Amino acid sequence: LVYSCSDPRTGANVFLARGDGSQPEIEIAGAYADDFSWRGDSTAFAYSSRRVVNRFNLYTDVYLHALSGKTVALTSGARARNPTFTTDGERLLVVTNGAQNNQLARLTVDRRTETLTEHTDHTQYTSPRYSPDGRFIAVSRWQDGFQDLWLMDADGAPARRLTADLAADIDPRWSADGRTLYFSSDRTGIYNIY
């Protein structure tokens, strides 16, 4: 289990713990992180972290941390977030943020970026996740005032809209067999898992 925590006593740190949350230990001292994604071989994880630029701007970049202790910045000033590994562990799917538009992009560990979408209509993406077989991407997409779940093919082309309602549907996660998609939604007035 990997998580980030910040408190006045110890500051911001990334922790590793057993699956039940017991025996937490600091893995990366002095860092706050979001959106963790484990590589399939469990020897490394990717995460995004924010930093202040020019006193007024927050930039988010993606990092790769090997359990051997080495952390490598995969982006710099790219405003990239929400990393998720491909099933083979060779690439990451990320969300990049431009002027009022988000794009889905594939990022390789050698830092090459391939933009998968080309939006200019203020579309916003969050929490993309590859299906276990790597054929599809489930993603939360905000467009025209609605935040719904979409299914995209592995190259970022829309396959179909999965939800279409007034609720904010976010954080999709696949079951291990890829037959079920879980997500969080505020359709009852508070966020629950569906």
Side-chain angles (χ1 to χ4, degrees), residues 109-123:
V109 178
D110 64 1
R111 301 184 186 125
R112 286 179 292 142
T113 303
E114 173 190 4
T115 302
L116 300 178
T117 57
E118 302 267 343
H119 295 287
T120 58
D121 60 356
H122 308 292
T123 295

Side-chain angles (χ1 to χ4, degrees), residues 1-86:
L1 176 68
V2 61
Y3 65 94
S4 187
C5 182
S6 182
D7 70 52
R9 199 171 35 86
T10 61
N13 298 292
V14 174
F15 291 84
L16 284 181
R18 293 180 181 263
D20 64 3
S22 66
Q23 301 182 7
E25 294 184 18
I26 294 174
E27 179 68 13
I28 307 171
Y32 187 80
D34 289 324
D35 308 315
F36 297 98
S37 178
W38 282 98
R39 192 165 56 197
D41 63 8
S42 299
T43 62
F45 58 84
Y47 64 93
S48 57
S49 185
R50 291 181 197 96
R51 63 187 170 88
V52 177
V53 177
N54 300 329
R55 291 183 30 201
F56 302 106
N57 299 309
L58 275 178
Y59 278 29
T60 307
D61 281 303
V62 174
Y63 299 84
L64 178 67
H65 178 77
L67 294 184
S68 61
K70 183 178 179 185
T71 301
V72 176
L74 298 179
T75 64
S76 178
R79 299 175 73 186
R81 59 182 166 78
N82 298 123
T84 187
F85 275 102
T86 54

